[in-house]
Amino acid sequence: MMSMFDDVLTKAYYGNSIGEWLISFALIIASVILAKTVYSVFGGVVKKLTKRTDNSLDDILIDKLEEPVVFAIIIIGIWYSLQLLNQSELTRSIIENAYYILIIFDIAWVLTRLLDTVILKFISPLVNESQSHLDDQLLPILRKGIKLSIWVIAALVALNNAGYNVSAVLASLGIGGLAFALAAKDTIANLFGSLTIFVDKPFMVGDRVVVKGFDGHVREIGLRSTRLQTLNGRMITIPNSKVADESIENISSEPNRKITLDLGMTCDTNHEQMKMAMDILKEIAQQNTSTEDKVVTIFNTFNDFSLNICLNYYIKKGMDINNTQTEINLEILRRFNEAGLELAFPTQTVYTKQL
């Protein structure tokens, strides 16, 4: 019986015995189990220890290195298990190239996670505290630019280590540059659009703007698109090429908000009452702490059923527009009721003559 079992284990398949295949497979399983164990240790033990320290840097390192370390254990285990097998030169070359690419991918993964975390934890708070809006625009571009640079360099290094002629690849990109430019014309247009927005500064992050019919606050200006959060809370993504070509209304840049209020007095309102109504309107608008002193009242129209007074006043920048209008309108209603001034509504008087 043992002889038959030994014969089965020693029987060769694709250059290796079943026993060698089983050992290699067992090592792969062991590396996965080890990786899961390390992941559990990171999450259950190491993180608890780092939370007790006053320094937040170790917490960041553990959190960001957790997945890449686990991935590294798995690919190293697979690499070692495959080295125990007899392989052809072609197979060994393919495995080595794949291994180099995975290792470089893991290193790039670690670098992007660490640098992005450093930017969010240390640089972003400084940007939020500064008075300038320029750094708010540059920070998202900086984060994406760093990530893109790392991955491009990692791809070139991986191709070079895998045996590919990187110089030839770059040269072929020059030959196919025209075709690439035609295929990526929208992307290039968006990049130039982001450059136009950055140079012209029609708006900053946080400004309220109206673009392509969308009214909202600018949340992010990226390399490809600009993100607006509308007044009802929805996120709108607009390509920068479209933003650069559009007429942009920057509501946040207004020095104040002009409010025009038309009031119709009843047609039987006399001269003194009209003068009193205009004085009351002017006084109310000037006394409100959220408005500027510039107030204009005009008796401007004789309508079919009313005598119209136009009130123009200006709400200061940064004040609550809706609240200020409500306060002024309530005060107008109270003062007019106290003075016995009547607001008109559409009416029609019919005179009949008896024959």
Side-chain angles (χ1 to χ4, degrees):
M1 189 70 178
M2 283 296 292
S3 175
M4 291 179 59
F5 185 70
D6 291 339
D7 290 341
V8 171
L9 290 179
T10 55
K11 190 174 182 180
Y13 289 93
Y14 300 101
N16 296 280
S17 66
I18 293 180
E20 291 172 332
W21 282 111
L22 289 176
I23 292 173
S24 178
F25 183 72
L27 287 174
I28 293 175
I29 297 299
S31 65
V32 173
I33 295 173
L34 177 62
K36 286 184 171 292
T37 304
V38 171
Y39 188 83
S40 301
V41 170
F42 265 94
V45 179
V46 180
K47 284 185 177 180
K48 291 180 180 179
L49 294 175
T50 56
K51 285 181 180 179
R52 297 176 183 176
T53 63
D54 296 330
N55 186 9
S56 62
L57 184 60
D58 51 2
D59 298 314
I60 297 172
L61 289 174
I62 293 300
D63 185 55
K64 295 304 176 181
L65 292 176
E66 188 174 10
E67 287 86 356
V69 167
V70 171
F71 181 71
I73 292 173
I74 292 175
I75 60 176
I76 290 173
I78 294 174
W79 164 262
Y80 182 75
S81 65
L82 293 177
Q83 295 305 304
L84 300 178
L85 300 175
N86 295 318
Q87 304 165 9
S88 65
E89 289 297 325
L90 178 61
T91 303
R92 187 175 294 277
S93 175
I94 293 173
I95 292 174
E96 286 180 353
N97 291 340
Y99 178 75
Y100 286 136
I101 292 173
L102 289 176
I103 286 294
I104 293 170
F105 167 82
D106 197 40
I107 294 172
W109 190 14
V110 171
L111 289 176
T112 53
R113 287 170 69 92
L114 288 179
L115 290 176
D116 194 52
T117 303
V118 168
I119 291 173
L120 289 177
K121 293 288 185 180
F122 300 105
I123 299 178
S124 184
L126 298 177
V127 169
N128 294 333
E129 292 174 2
S130 67
Q131 299 297 323
S132 173
H133 292 286
L134 179 62
D135 46 13
D136 294 327
Q137 289 181 275
L138 288 175
L139 188 61
I141 297 176
L142 176 65
R143 290 178 60 195
K144 293 177 181 178
I146 289 174
K147 290 179 182 179
L148 180 62
S149 300
I150 291 174
W151 284 114
V152 169
I153 293 172
L156 293 176
V157 173
L159 290 173
N160 185 64
N161 287 338
Y164 295 97
N165 190 340
V166 176
S167 300
V169 173
L170 293 176
S172 65
L173 289 178
I175 297 173
L178 179 60
F180 176 78
L182 291 174
K185 62 180 181 179
D186 291 338
T187 301
I188 296 172
N190 288 327
L191 289 174
F192 277 104
S194 64
L195 180 62
T196 302
I197 294 171
F198 179 74
V199 173
D200 288 348
K201 298 183 181 67
F203 52 78
M204 299 288 186
V205 174
D207 285 356
R208 179 183 170 187
V209 298
V210 178
V211 183
K212 293 186 70 66
F214 297 107
D215 185 352
H217 293 86
V218 180
R219 295 305 180 205
E220 183 181 344
I221 304 173
L223 294 174
R224 192 197 72 83
S225 61
T226 296
R227 300 183 70 191
L228 299 182
Q229 185 173 22
T230 61
L231 301 183
N232 58 10
R234 297 175 182 173
M235 296 300 297
I236 304 295
T237 301
I238 306 175
N240 285 334
S241 59
K242 304 295 183 184
V243 176
D245 290 337
E246 281 290 317
S247 298
I248 301 170
E249 181 183 359
N250 192 329
I251 298 175
S252 297
S253 65
E254 62 183 5
N256 48 44
R257 175 66 62 88
K258 180 183 178 182
I259 304 296
T260 299
L261 179 63
D262 287 309
L263 293 175
M265 310 301 295
T266 57
C267 290
D268 58 356
T269 304
N270 59 38
H271 174 274
E272 289 76 15
Q273 289 175 321
M274 288 295 290
K275 184 68 169 59
M276 182 191 303
M278 294 173 65
D279 290 341
I280 290 174
L281 291 173
K282 190 170 186 178
E283 182 182 341
I284 291 172
Q286 286 180 333
Q287 289 180 348
N288 193 287
T289 56
S290 298
T291 61
E292 297 183 352
D293 293 334
K294 185 170 50 176
V295 179
V296 179
T297 55
I298 308 170
F299 176 16
N300 62 343
T301 310
F302 289 91
N303 280 331
D304 294 337
F305 52 83
S306 66
L307 307 177
N308 266 37
I309 300 175
C310 178
L311 169 65
N312 291 321
Y313 63 93
Y314 298 83
I315 300 176
K316 297 175 183 177
K317 186 178 179 69
M319 296 298 177
D320 192 320
I321 295 172
N322 294 330
N323 249 2
T324 303
Q325 285 184 271
T326 299
E327 290 174 2
I328 289 177
N329 290 343
L330 287 174
E331 186 64 13
I332 291 172
L333 185 61
R334 186 185 70 81
R335 294 282 297 275
F336 273 34
N337 288 336
E338 288 180 354
L341 299 172
E342 295 185 11
L343 297 174
F345 54 90
T347 57
Q348 186 177 28
T349 302
V350 179
Y351 295 92
T352 60
K353 183 177 181 182
Q354 186 175 3
L355 299 176

Short mmCIF file of all heavy atoms in Angstrom, two decimals, residues 34-67 69-70 73:
data_model
loop_
_atom_site.label_atom_id
_atom_site.label_comp_id
_atom_site.label_asym_id
_atom_site.label_seq_id
_atom_site.Cartn_x
_atom_site.Cartn_y
_atom_site.Cartn_z
N LEU A 34 -0.64 32.99 6.75
CA LEU A 34 0.26 33.90 7.45
C LEU A 34 -0.13 35.35 7.21
O LEU A 34 -0.12 36.17 8.15
CB LEU A 34 1.70 33.66 6.98
CG LEU A 34 2.77 34.59 7.59
CD1 LEU A 34 2.82 34.43 9.10
CD2 LEU A 34 4.13 34.33 6.96
N ALA A 35 -0.50 35.67 5.97
CA ALA A 35 -0.92 37.04 5.65
C ALA A 35 -2.17 37.42 6.44
O ALA A 35 -2.27 38.52 6.97
CB ALA A 35 -1.16 37.16 4.15
N LYS A 36 -3.15 36.50 6.52
CA LYS A 36 -4.36 36.78 7.28
C LYS A 36 -4.04 36.94 8.77
O LYS A 36 -4.64 37.77 9.46
CB LYS A 36 -5.38 35.66 7.08
CG LYS A 36 -6.06 35.69 5.72
CD LYS A 36 -7.13 34.63 5.63
CE LYS A 36 -7.97 34.78 4.37
NZ LYS A 36 -8.80 36.00 4.40
N THR A 37 -3.09 36.16 9.26
CA THR A 37 -2.70 36.27 10.67
C THR A 37 -2.06 37.63 10.94
O THR A 37 -2.35 38.30 11.94
CB THR A 37 -1.71 35.15 11.03
OG1 THR A 37 -2.31 33.88 10.74
CG2 THR A 37 -1.34 35.21 12.51
N VAL A 38 -1.16 38.04 10.04
CA VAL A 38 -0.52 39.36 10.18
C VAL A 38 -1.56 40.46 10.13
O VAL A 38 -1.50 41.43 10.90
CB VAL A 38 0.54 39.55 9.07
CG1 VAL A 38 1.06 40.98 9.06
CG2 VAL A 38 1.69 38.58 9.27
N TYR A 39 -2.53 40.32 9.23
CA TYR A 39 -3.61 41.33 9.12
C TYR A 39 -4.39 41.42 10.43
O TYR A 39 -4.73 42.51 10.90
CB TYR A 39 -4.54 40.95 7.97
CG TYR A 39 -5.56 42.01 7.64
CD1 TYR A 39 -5.24 43.09 6.83
CD2 TYR A 39 -6.86 41.93 8.15
CE1 TYR A 39 -6.18 44.05 6.52
CE2 TYR A 39 -7.80 42.89 7.85
CZ TYR A 39 -7.46 43.94 7.03
OH TYR A 39 -8.39 44.91 6.73
N SER A 40 -4.68 40.26 11.03
CA SER A 40 -5.41 40.25 12.31
C SER A 40 -4.58 40.86 13.43
O SER A 40 -5.10 41.59 14.28
CB SER A 40 -5.80 38.82 12.67
OG SER A 40 -6.62 38.25 11.68
N VAL A 41 -3.28 40.57 13.43
CA VAL A 41 -2.39 41.14 14.45
C VAL A 41 -2.31 42.65 14.31
O VAL A 41 -2.37 43.39 15.30
CB VAL A 41 -0.98 40.50 14.36
CG1 VAL A 41 0.00 41.25 15.25
CG2 VAL A 41 -1.04 39.03 14.73
N PHE A 42 -2.21 43.13 13.07
CA PHE A 42 -2.19 44.58 12.84
C PHE A 42 -3.46 45.22 13.37
O PHE A 42 -3.42 46.24 14.06
CB PHE A 42 -2.06 44.86 11.33
CG PHE A 42 -0.65 45.09 10.87
CD1 PHE A 42 0.11 44.04 10.38
CD2 PHE A 42 -0.08 46.34 10.94
CE1 PHE A 42 1.41 44.24 9.96
CE2 PHE A 42 1.22 46.56 10.51
CZ PHE A 42 1.96 45.50 10.02
N GLY A 43 -4.60 44.60 13.01
CA GLY A 43 -5.87 45.21 13.40
C GLY A 43 -6.20 45.07 14.87
O GLY A 43 -6.78 45.98 15.47
N GLY A 44 -5.84 43.95 15.48
CA GLY A 44 -6.27 43.71 16.85
C GLY A 44 -5.27 44.09 17.93
O GLY A 44 -5.66 44.46 19.03
N VAL A 45 -3.98 44.03 17.62
CA VAL A 45 -2.96 44.24 18.65
C VAL A 45 -2.16 45.51 18.41
O VAL A 45 -2.10 46.40 19.26
CB VAL A 45 -2.02 43.01 18.74
CG1 VAL A 45 -0.95 43.25 19.80
CG2 VAL A 45 -2.81 41.74 19.03
N VAL A 46 -1.53 45.57 17.23
CA VAL A 46 -0.61 46.69 16.96
C VAL A 46 -1.34 48.02 16.98
O VAL A 46 -0.84 49.01 17.54
CB VAL A 46 0.09 46.47 15.60
CG1 VAL A 46 1.03 47.63 15.31
CG2 VAL A 46 0.86 45.15 15.60
N LYS A 47 -2.53 48.08 16.38
CA LYS A 47 -3.27 49.35 16.35
C LYS A 47 -3.65 49.81 17.75
O LYS A 47 -3.66 51.01 18.04
CB LYS A 47 -4.52 49.21 15.48
CG LYS A 47 -4.24 49.21 13.99
CD LYS A 47 -5.53 49.21 13.19
CE LYS A 47 -5.25 49.28 11.70
NZ LYS A 47 -6.50 49.28 10.91
N LYS A 48 -3.99 48.87 18.62
CA LYS A 48 -4.33 49.23 20.00
C LYS A 48 -3.12 49.81 20.73
O LYS A 48 -3.24 50.73 21.53
CB LYS A 48 -4.87 48.01 20.75
CG LYS A 48 -6.24 47.57 20.26
CD LYS A 48 -6.73 46.35 21.05
CE LYS A 48 -8.10 45.90 20.55
NZ LYS A 48 -8.60 44.71 21.28
N LEU A 49 -1.94 49.24 20.44
CA LEU A 49 -0.73 49.74 21.08
C LEU A 49 -0.37 51.14 20.58
O LEU A 49 0.04 52.00 21.36
CB LEU A 49 0.45 48.78 20.82
CG LEU A 49 0.33 47.39 21.45
CD1 LEU A 49 1.49 46.50 21.01
CD2 LEU A 49 0.31 47.49 22.98
N THR A 50 -0.51 51.37 19.29
CA THR A 50 -0.15 52.68 18.74
C THR A 50 -1.13 53.77 19.17
O THR A 50 -0.76 54.94 19.25
CB THR A 50 -0.11 52.62 17.20
OG1 THR A 50 -1.38 52.14 16.70
CG2 THR A 50 1.00 51.70 16.74
N LYS A 51 -2.38 53.39 19.45
CA LYS A 51 -3.35 54.39 19.89
C LYS A 51 -3.02 54.94 21.29
O LYS A 51 -3.47 56.03 21.65
CB LYS A 51 -4.76 53.78 19.90
CG LYS A 51 -5.36 53.63 18.52
CD LYS A 51 -6.76 53.05 18.58
CE LYS A 51 -7.35 52.91 17.17
NZ LYS A 51 -8.70 52.31 17.19
N ARG A 52 -2.24 54.20 22.05
CA ARG A 52 -1.87 54.65 23.40
C ARG A 52 -0.75 55.71 23.37
O ARG A 52 -0.54 56.39 24.37
CB ARG A 52 -1.41 53.46 24.24
CG ARG A 52 -2.52 52.42 24.46
CD ARG A 52 -1.97 51.22 25.23
NE ARG A 52 -2.99 50.19 25.39
CZ ARG A 52 -2.78 49.00 25.96
NH1 ARG A 52 -1.56 48.71 26.43
NH2 ARG A 52 -3.75 48.12 26.06
N THR A 53 -0.06 55.80 22.25
CA THR A 53 1.03 56.78 22.15
C THR A 53 0.47 58.15 21.79
O THR A 53 -0.60 58.27 21.20
CB THR A 53 2.05 56.34 21.09
OG1 THR A 53 1.41 56.30 19.80
CG2 THR A 53 2.61 54.98 21.42
N ASP A 54 1.23 59.20 22.15
CA ASP A 54 0.81 60.56 21.83
C ASP A 54 1.10 60.92 20.39
O ASP A 54 0.48 61.84 19.84
CB ASP A 54 1.54 61.55 22.76
CG ASP A 54 1.16 61.35 24.23
OD1 ASP A 54 0.02 60.90 24.47
OD2 ASP A 54 2.00 61.62 25.10
N ASN A 55 2.03 60.23 19.78
CA ASN A 55 2.41 60.53 18.40
C ASN A 55 1.42 59.87 17.44
O ASN A 55 1.16 58.67 17.53
CB ASN A 55 3.83 60.02 18.13
CG ASN A 55 4.32 60.42 16.76
OD1 ASN A 55 3.69 61.22 16.07
ND2 ASN A 55 5.46 59.87 16.37
N SER A 56 0.88 60.65 16.49
CA SER A 56 -0.09 60.11 15.53
C SER A 56 0.59 59.50 14.31
O SER A 56 -0.06 58.83 13.51
CB SER A 56 -1.05 61.22 15.07
OG SER A 56 -0.33 62.26 14.41
N LEU A 57 1.91 59.70 14.18
CA LEU A 57 2.61 59.20 13.00
C LEU A 57 2.61 57.67 12.96
O LEU A 57 2.44 57.07 11.88
CB LEU A 57 4.04 59.73 12.98
CG LEU A 57 4.88 59.36 11.76
CD1 LEU A 57 4.23 59.90 10.49
CD2 LEU A 57 6.29 59.89 11.91
N ASP A 58 2.79 57.02 14.11
CA ASP A 58 2.80 55.56 14.11
C ASP A 58 1.43 54.99 13.75
O ASP A 58 1.32 53.96 13.10
CB ASP A 58 3.27 55.02 15.47
CG ASP A 58 2.51 55.64 16.64
OD1 ASP A 58 1.60 56.44 16.38
OD2 ASP A 58 2.85 55.34 17.80
N ASP A 59 0.35 55.68 14.17
CA ASP A 59 -1.00 55.24 13.79
C ASP A 59 -1.17 55.29 12.27
O ASP A 59 -1.76 54.38 11.66
CB ASP A 59 -2.05 56.12 14.45
CG ASP A 59 -1.99 56.03 15.98
OD1 ASP A 59 -1.91 54.91 16.49
OD2 ASP A 59 -2.03 57.08 16.64
N ILE A 60 -0.66 56.36 11.68
CA ILE A 60 -0.78 56.52 10.23
C ILE A 60 0.01 55.44 9.50
O ILE A 60 -0.48 54.82 8.55
CB ILE A 60 -0.28 57.92 9.81
CG1 ILE A 60 -1.16 59.01 10.42
CG2 ILE A 60 -0.25 58.06 8.30
CD1 ILE A 60 -0.64 60.41 10.23
N LEU A 61 1.23 55.19 9.96
CA LEU A 61 2.08 54.19 9.31
C LEU A 61 1.45 52.81 9.37
O LEU A 61 1.42 52.07 8.38
CB LEU A 61 3.46 54.18 9.97
CG LEU A 61 4.35 55.40 9.70
CD1 LEU A 61 5.63 55.32 10.52
CD2 LEU A 61 4.69 55.51 8.22
N ILE A 62 0.95 52.43 10.54
CA ILE A 62 0.34 51.10 10.70
C ILE A 62 -0.89 50.97 9.83
O ILE A 62 -1.10 49.96 9.15
CB ILE A 62 -0.01 50.85 12.19
CG1 ILE A 62 1.27 50.76 13.03
CG2 ILE A 62 -0.83 49.58 12.33
CD1 ILE A 62 2.20 49.64 12.62
N ASP A 63 -1.72 52.01 9.81
CA ASP A 63 -2.96 51.96 9.05
C ASP A 63 -2.70 51.85 7.55
O ASP A 63 -3.38 51.09 6.84
CB ASP A 63 -3.80 53.20 9.35
CG ASP A 63 -5.16 53.15 8.68
OD1 ASP A 63 -5.88 52.15 8.88
OD2 ASP A 63 -5.49 54.08 7.93
N LYS A 64 -1.71 52.58 7.06
CA LYS A 64 -1.45 52.60 5.64
C LYS A 64 -0.56 51.46 5.15
O LYS A 64 -0.59 51.10 3.97
CB LYS A 64 -0.81 53.95 5.26
CG LYS A 64 -1.75 55.14 5.48
CD LYS A 64 -3.05 54.96 4.73
CE LYS A 64 -4.03 56.07 5.01
NZ LYS A 64 -5.32 55.88 4.30
N LEU A 65 0.24 50.88 6.05
CA LEU A 65 1.12 49.79 5.65
C LEU A 65 0.45 48.42 5.78
O LEU A 65 1.00 47.42 5.31
CB LEU A 65 2.39 49.80 6.50
CG LEU A 65 3.35 50.97 6.28
CD1 LEU A 65 4.51 50.90 7.25
CD2 LEU A 65 3.87 50.98 4.84
N GLU A 66 -0.70 48.38 6.41
CA GLU A 66 -1.36 47.10 6.71
C GLU A 66 -1.61 46.27 5.45
O GLU A 66 -1.12 45.14 5.32
CB GLU A 66 -2.68 47.39 7.44
CG GLU A 66 -3.37 46.17 7.97
CD GLU A 66 -4.59 46.55 8.81
OE1 GLU A 66 -4.97 47.74 8.80
OE2 GLU A 66 -5.15 45.67 9.46
N GLU A 67 -2.36 46.79 4.50
CA GLU A 67 -2.70 46.02 3.30
C GLU A 67 -1.48 45.73 2.42
O GLU A 67 -1.33 44.59 1.94
CB GLU A 67 -3.78 46.74 2.49
CG GLU A 67 -5.17 46.69 3.10
CD GLU A 67 -5.39 47.80 4.11
OE1 GLU A 67 -4.43 48.56 4.36
OE2 GLU A 67 -6.52 47.92 4.63
N VAL A 69 1.64 45.32 3.28
CA VAL A 69 2.46 44.29 3.93
C VAL A 69 1.84 42.91 3.73
O VAL A 69 2.54 41.93 3.43
CB VAL A 69 2.64 44.61 5.43
CG1 VAL A 69 3.21 43.40 6.18
CG2 VAL A 69 3.56 45.81 5.62
N VAL A 70 0.54 42.81 3.90
CA VAL A 70 -0.16 41.54 3.69
C VAL A 70 0.01 41.08 2.24
O VAL A 70 0.27 39.90 1.97
CB VAL A 70 -1.66 41.70 4.05
CG1 VAL A 70 -2.44 40.46 3.62
CG2 VAL A 70 -1.82 41.93 5.55
N ILE A 73 3.52 39.68 1.72
CA ILE A 73 3.70 38.33 2.27
C ILE A 73 3.16 37.28 1.32
O ILE A 73 3.77 36.23 1.08
CB ILE A 73 3.01 38.22 3.65
CG1 ILE A 73 3.75 39.11 4.67
CG2 ILE A 73 2.98 36.78 4.13
CD1 ILE A 73 3.04 39.20 6.00
#
